[in-house]
Amino acid sequence: MDLGLWLTFFIASWAISLSPGPGAVAAMSAGLQHGFRRGYWLSFGLILGIWTLVLVVGAGLGALLATSSLVFAAIKWLGVAYLMFLGVQQWRAPPHPLLAERAGGGATATRCELVLRGWMINAVNPKGAAFMLAVVPQFLELTRPLPMQYLVIALTLALTDLVVMASYTALASRVQHLLRTPAQMRTVNKVFGAIFVAAGVLLAGFKRGV
């Protein structure tokens, strides 16, 4: 991939990362619930999910996803189920104020749990895979070795997503000191729970080729 082509993809990757979606919602939710230092671990899971999608496209499995109704439906409904699960879990989460969590008075997700949550959000998103299948090949030079180009694409997406998700997480964590009462945390949990459910509904309506 020459410099000019990479710069074009670099600009496109910012648009991809900045576009609102389940990843951004999850990053803000993690920032609110766990603060920046712990909540940012979810972003590493989101990156692993993106790399999974790039690997799927690079291995040619993206074409299978694009042509097989059964495979597409299976992955789509798995993604819908997971987003719904996150929504219900968030909605029903105990309303522990963040300050209580830090003092040891409430449960908090481990780093591994946050990474796994982020990976699942992106890895089982067929809309993301379909998008990668449509966009990534446009930036490939078929006369050059493909593995190195896929590596450059994966690293570029990781860079932009890490910066963008850091911003989302930090922005949400900045208001955490305002969430001092169970009633406030209950409201936040219900809002983000509803957003996750809405994202699941939107994914359920996504059709191959759209």
Side-chain angles (χ1 to χ4, degrees):
M1 181 182 297
D2 62 36
L3 181 59
L5 189 60
W6 177 81
L7 286 174
T8 302
F9 180 75
F10 181 65
I11 295 172
S13 67
W14 283 102
I16 295 169
S17 296
L18 286 167
S19 60
V25 173
M28 289 187 287
S29 176
L32 277 171
Q33 287 191 304
H34 309 293
F36 179 79
R37 293 183 63 182
R38 181 176 293 272
Y40 191 50
W41 282 86
L42 182 133
S43 298
F44 296 110
L46 293 174
I47 296 302
L48 291 177
I50 290 174
W51 285 355
T52 300
L53 295 180
V54 173
L55 182 62
V56 164
V57 172
L61 299 178
L64 176 62
L65 178 64
T67 57
S68 172
S69 298
L70 181 61
V71 173
F72 180 88
I75 295 177
K76 183 179 81 169
W77 290 110
L78 178 61
V80 169
Y82 186 65
L83 288 173
M84 292 290 187
F85 166 76
L86 287 180
V88 172
Q89 186 182 53
Q90 187 84 44
W91 184 280
R92 300 177 61 185
H96 295 300
L98 183 61
L99 296 179
E101 285 191 6
R102 286 184 167 180
T108 184
T110 67
R111 293 179 178 87
C112 288
E113 288 172 341
L114 289 170
V115 170
L116 180 60
R117 183 183 302 173
W119 178 80
M120 282 288 292
I121 287 172
N122 275 343
V124 297
N125 185 353
K127 187 175 182 179
F131 183 78
M132 289 287 183
L133 185 62
V135 172
V136 169
Q138 310 303 318
F139 296 93
L140 295 175
E141 297 179 89
L142 300 182
T143 57
R144 298 186 178 184
L146 293 179
M148 183 58 66
Q149 294 183 72
Y150 277 113
L151 177 61
V152 170
I153 285 171
L155 293 176
T156 302
L157 288 171
L159 171 64
T160 56
D161 218 48
L162 284 174
V163 173
V164 170
M165 294 309 158
S167 301
Y168 282 135
T169 307
L171 180 62
S173 67
R174 290 294 297 272
V175 300
Q176 62 188 346
H177 67 282
L178 301 176
L179 306 176
R180 298 176 179 272
T181 69
Q184 291 170 332
M185 283 304 302
R186 187 178 294 110
T187 299
V188 169
N189 288 338
K190 290 185 182 300
V191 168
F192 278 95
I195 294 174
F196 275 122
V197 170
V201 171
L202 290 175
L203 180 58
F206 177 71
K207 297 181 180 180
R208 189 179 55 196
V210 174

